[in-house]
Amino acid sequence: MSHPCDEPVTQLHVKPGMTVNELVGAMGKAGAYNGGSLSRAANIWEQMLRDKETTKFFGLAGAMVPAGMGGIVSDLIREGYIDVLVSTGANLTHDVIEAIGCHHFHGTAFCNDIELRHDEINRIYDVYLPNDAFEVFEEFMQGVFSELEPGSRISISGLLNHIGKHTKSGILHTAARNNIPVYCPAVQDSMIGLQYWLFSQTNKVTVDAFADMPALLDLCFTTKKAGAMLVGGGVPKNFILQSMIMTPNGFSYAIQLTGDRPDLGGLSGATLDEARSWGKITEEAQAVTVYGDATITLPVLAAAVMERLAK
C-alpha cells in the first residue's frame, strides 16, 4: 500500500486519436473522484475477465435497454464475458420489444405527459415507446407461450430461454444461443409477467419460481472464484450477492455502477464494503463503486476493457 502523498495527481491531457482505453488510463493517473473509480473498475473488470477460475455474474437493473444499453450486454454474452445474467423483467421486456422489430424513440423529459397519454405514448424519462409496440409484443408473447407443453412445469430461466429461442436478436436471443442462464426472480413485475398471467388463464403450464435455485446454488458451491458486474441495484444485485450467503465462498471481484446514495439505506446505493459485513464479498475482494449515470459509465468501461482483452 502506498503512503500518503507518494503518488501525485497527473494532469489529464486529451489528445486527438486517443482510444477509450487510453482515456481511461489517463483518468486513472489523474485518479480523483469517480474518474479514478472508473479507471479502477476497468482494472478490476479486466482482471476478473482474464481469471479463468472466476464465474462471471452480471446484474442488469434500471431502464438500460430503452436507453440503448442492451446491445452492450448482448455483445458481452457473445464474447464470453458473462456466465450468469440476472435482470429485471422490465429490461427483458424491452429487449423482446426491440427483437421483434419495434423501437424506442428519442423524446424529451420536458413535455406534457397528459398529451402523451392521449397520444398513446409511454415515457421513460426522455425515451418514448408507443402503445402499439405492446400490441405487437402481446401477439408475439402469446404465440411463444402457446408452444409450451400443456401441463408442464418450467423454471423462470427456462421460460426466458424459450422466449430467446423465438427471437432473432437481443439479450435473450444471444443468451439462448450461447447457453447462458438468464435469471429474473421478479419476472412477475414486468409485461412478460403480465402476459404470462394472461396466458395462464386458459392454459395449464406452471412456472416454478424456485426451480432455478438448485442449479444456481450448485454453481455457487462449486465455483472456485466469483465476480460480479452490477449495473444498478435492486433485485438483480441482491439476487447475485445473496447467492453466496449459503456457501462458504464470497465474491472475489465486484464492480457496481450506480447513481444512488448509500446513506438512505437502500440496496441500490449500498456500498460494496457493506456487502463484506454480510460475507457476500470476501474480505480480500477487489471491489469498487462508480457513481454516475450507467449510460455513460457502462459503455466507457466496456469499450476500455474489451480493447484490452483484444490485445
Side-chain angles (χ1 to χ4, degrees):
M1 183 177 178
S2 62
H3 296 287
C5 299
D6 275 357
E7 296 184 32
V9 170
T10 301
Q11 297 302 312
L12 195 156
H13 296 277
V14 177
K15 302 175 182 178
M18 285 181 83
T19 67
V20 177
N21 182 47
E22 288 170 343
L23 176 61
V24 170
M27 292 166 67
K29 291 179 180 178
Y33 314 145
N34 283 290
S37 296
L38 184 73
S39 178
R40 289 192 293 277
N43 294 338
I44 294 172
W45 200 10
E46 177 191 7
Q47 186 173 344
M48 180 177 86
L49 296 180
R50 290 189 185 276
D51 191 336
K52 301 301 183 183
E53 295 185 334
T54 296
T55 300
K56 304 171 288 291
F57 290 75
F58 194 100
L60 186 66
M64 291 291 100
V65 174
M69 300 296 105
I72 295 175
V73 181
S74 295
D75 292 342
L76 292 170
I77 294 172
R78 187 177 298 108
E79 294 298 322
Y81 299 149
I82 296 176
D83 296 319
V84 177
L85 175 65
V86 182
S87 175
T88 60
N91 272 312
L92 300 180
T93 294
H94 293 287
D95 174 64
V96 173
I97 285 173
E98 288 277 337
I100 60 178
C102 299
H103 300 286
H104 299 81
F105 295 91
H106 297 293
T108 174
F110 307 100
C111 59
N112 187 317
D113 286 289
I114 295 175
E115 288 183 2
L116 288 181
R117 173 63 177 169
H118 291 169
D119 292 337
E120 298 187 333
I121 296 173
N122 306 282
R123 180 169 71 90
I124 308 168
Y125 188 62
D126 60 357
V127 174
Y128 291 170
L129 181 60
N131 271 355
D132 57 14
F134 287 107
E135 295 172 6
V136 178
F137 174 79
E138 178 173 342
E139 181 179 358
F140 172 79
M141 294 303 294
Q142 293 303 314
V144 170
F145 290 152
S146 69
E147 296 188 22
L148 293 168
E149 183 181 351
S152 62
R153 182 178 295 270
I154 193 170
S155 67
I156 294 173
S157 66
L159 182 69
L160 297 174
N161 180 265
H162 176 75
I163 296 170
K165 289 179 177 178
H166 287 77
T167 56
K168 296 181 179 180
S169 63
I171 295 171
L172 289 178
H173 167 78
T174 309
R177 287 196 62 181
N178 290 274
N179 296 315
I180 297 301
V182 180
Y183 297 118
C184 183
V187 69
Q188 302 96 320
D189 183 31
S190 70
M191 295 302 289
I192 291 177
L194 289 174
Q195 285 299 318
Y196 188 82
W197 173 85
L198 183 62
F199 169 77
S200 71
Q201 301 309 291
T202 53
N203 296 271
K204 299 299 181 184
V205 177
T206 301
V207 177
D208 187 341
F210 293 95
D212 283 324
M213 300 306 291
L216 174 63
L217 290 175
D218 283 350
L219 176 65
C220 292
F221 270 104
T222 58
T223 188
K224 292 183 178 179
K225 299 167 73 175
M229 165 60 84
L230 306 169
V231 180
V235 171
K237 176 184 177 182
N238 188 66
F239 192 76
I240 289 172
L241 294 184
Q242 77 168 11
S243 64
M244 286 295 174
I245 286 182
M246 301 297 290
T247 79
N249 307 316
F251 282 89
S252 300
Y253 306 97
I255 300 160
Q256 176 176 236
L257 310 181
T258 185
D260 292 339
R261 291 166 44 186
D263 58 309
L264 298 179
L267 180 68
S268 296
T271 65
L272 294 175
D273 281 334
E274 185 176 311
R276 296 182 202 265
S277 75
W278 292 79
K280 298 174 181 177
I281 296 175
T282 66
E283 295 179 13
E284 305 81 14
Q286 297 187 60
V288 64
T289 297
V290 184
Y291 291 98
D293 185 339
T295 63
I296 300 170
T297 55
L298 178 60
V300 173
L301 271 176
V305 173
M306 292 177 77
E307 181 182 334
R308 296 179 189 185
L309 296 173
K311 294 181 180 179

